[in-house]
Amino acid sequence: MNADISGGCQCGKVRYEVQMDIGEVIACNCSRCGRLGSLLAFAPLSQFKLLSGDTDLTKFEFNRHTIQHQFCARVGFSRLRSEQFPKTGNKMAAINVRCVDGVDVDALKVKKVDGRSL
């Protein structure tokens, strides 16, 4: 069952809502996620709504340039937006659950993904 979840950056300029169920999260060890310590949960992009801070976001792409890493330019809050999810071809939003309001990340089941090898 999907729930309405809110989150945003530390300075508060970037805020969003997403309809998703946070079950298992992914800890990727690629050159970006590994440095940030991101724990990712995925939802269809159609279920993600940016409430504020669009002009405060900056984008970064690396490797194959297939994923736009969007983050607050002021404090570095990160959420990923994949234009096309590799397994399904669907547009997906990857949410760093460390930036979701009220989530106890220590209570989540974490799946490790070897992003360095992709």
Side-chain angles (χ1 to χ4, degrees):
M1 183 168 116
N2 285 341
D4 288 329
I5 294 171
S6 61
C9 68
Q10 186 179 8
C11 74
K13 288 188 177 221
V14 177
R15 296 292 303 162
Y16 62 84
E17 288 179 344
V18 61
Q19 245 191 8
M20 66 187 301
D21 184 28
I22 300 176
E24 183 176 75
V25 296
I26 291 175
C28 176
N29 67 356
C30 75
S31 63
R32 179 142 182 94
C33 294
R35 284 176 172 80
L36 292 172
S38 299
L39 294 174
L40 304 174
F42 296 85
L45 191 57
S46 62
Q47 293 176 199
F48 179 88
K49 181 179 179 184
L50 185 65
L51 301 175
S52 65
D54 187 46
T55 59
D56 298 295
L57 288 173
T58 190
K59 297 173 187 169
F60 174 70
E61 294 178 349
F62 71 103
N63 197 3
R64 295 184 215 148
H65 300 272
T66 57
I67 300 173
Q68 289 182 352
H69 298 261
Q70 296 182 327
F71 54 96
C72 173
R74 182 172 179 197
V75 296
F77 143 80
S78 182
R79 74 150 172 107
L80 305 180
R81 175 182 162 188
S82 176
E83 288 301 317
Q84 193 169 25
F85 197 69
K87 291 182 181 179
T88 63
N90 295 333
K91 291 184 178 182
M92 301 294 287
I95 305 300
N96 181 355
V97 297
R98 293 187 184 276
C99 299
V100 171
D101 300 335
V103 170
D104 178 5
V105 295
D106 293 326
L108 298 172
K109 181 178 178 184
V110 178
K111 177 183 177 181
K112 295 183 179 184
V113 172
D114 185 11
R116 287 184 192 149
S117 299
L118 299 177

